[in-house]
Amino acid sequence: TGLPRDYSNQILKDKAKKIKLSLNHRGAKKIISVFDGNSISDTRFHTGHKNQIENYEKILLEVNNNKELGVIFKPKHPQSLKNRLGKTFNLLMESCKTGRCLILDENTKYQSPNPAILAGLASDICLHADLSSGTAALECASAGKPVLLIDREGAPFSVLNKLKYGKTRYLYPH
């Protein structure tokens, strides 16, 4: 385990700064990065689409109500986003028109070529709603970014669930 690509933080710093300035230019004073680890229709084997739809809707409605809030969505599989989000995809597209909502939607056959840390470096706080796969959150925390890691899917065997309710763990850059 570890962070095999921590060298990319320095490489991506300028690109992240451009993203942040673009969102700031459109009025965003606080920027959230949101990591979407994917979903499939069969919830027996992975996060269901319903959870991801709720994750997107909650943030999008807040961005549309708060003109000082910006969001960067970093989906693991951007090529399936329209299918996975259904009608919520239209809300996502409308929100992007504000200039305060951005999707890192470049993709390859299998997943996004953009590392999560790109979104993290461009934001003020990072949100990862999948405790069973917290790699994106750990990358951002190791870079010194504040991270909220939420267990919406229910990962009962995660070591993070051993923390007492309300406890926080801080990771400091080395």
Side-chain angles (χ1 to χ4, degrees):
T1 64
L3 295 169
R5 292 188 310 180
D6 65 348
Y7 62 87
S8 64
N9 298 7
Q10 195 61 28
I11 295 168
L12 295 169
K13 190 169 61 171
D14 288 340
K15 187 173 181 180
K17 186 175 182 177
K18 288 178 184 174
I19 292 171
K20 186 175 183 92
L21 287 174
S22 173
L23 294 170
N24 290 153
H25 179 72
R26 297 304 297 257
K29 290 184 172 37
K30 294 290 181 187
I31 300 170
I32 302 170
S33 58
V34 178
F35 304 111
D36 165 3
N38 198 24
S39 61
I40 60 174
S41 57
D42 191 336
T43 57
R44 292 177 302 164
F45 304 108
H46 197 285
T47 304
H49 295 325
K50 183 177 181 249
N51 256 1
Q52 287 298 345
I53 289 168
E54 290 171 357
N55 290 345
Y56 276 83
E57 282 181 350
K58 183 74 172 171
I59 297 293
L60 291 169
L61 292 173
E62 189 60 35
V63 166
N64 290 331
N65 287 328
N66 182 343
K67 306 300 182 212
E68 294 185 347
L69 185 61
V71 63
I72 303 166
F73 287 103
K74 198 306 196 174
K76 186 171 191 173
H77 294 276
Q79 64 272 30
S80 66
L81 201 54
K82 185 174 185 177
N83 179 56
R84 292 187 298 118
L85 294 182
K87 292 184 281 185
T88 300
F89 187 79
N90 297 331
L91 177 60
L92 177 60
M93 293 297 98
E94 286 300 311
S95 298
C96 286
K97 290 178 185 176
T98 68
R100 294 178 294 105
C101 177
L102 173 71
I103 311 163
L104 296 180
D105 60 359
E106 293 175 74
N107 65 72
T108 64
K109 184 177 178 181
Y110 299 106
Q111 64 187 33
S112 169
N114 290 311
I117 193 63
L118 175 61
L121 292 171
S123 63
D124 298 300
I125 192 164
C126 308
L127 176 63
H128 194 162
D130 186 355
L131 199 58
S132 65
S133 166
T135 309
L138 291 173
E139 280 184 43
C140 294
S142 72
K145 301 304 276 188
V147 174
L148 295 173
L149 190 56
I150 301 169
D151 185 17
R152 290 210 60 221
E153 290 77 21
F157 302 109
S158 171
V159 296
L160 297 174
N161 278 322
K162 293 179 182 175
L163 297 174
K164 292 181 182 173
Y165 180 79
K167 292 291 182 184
T168 306
R169 285 288 195 249
Y170 295 97
L171 294 177
Y172 296 99
H174 43 281

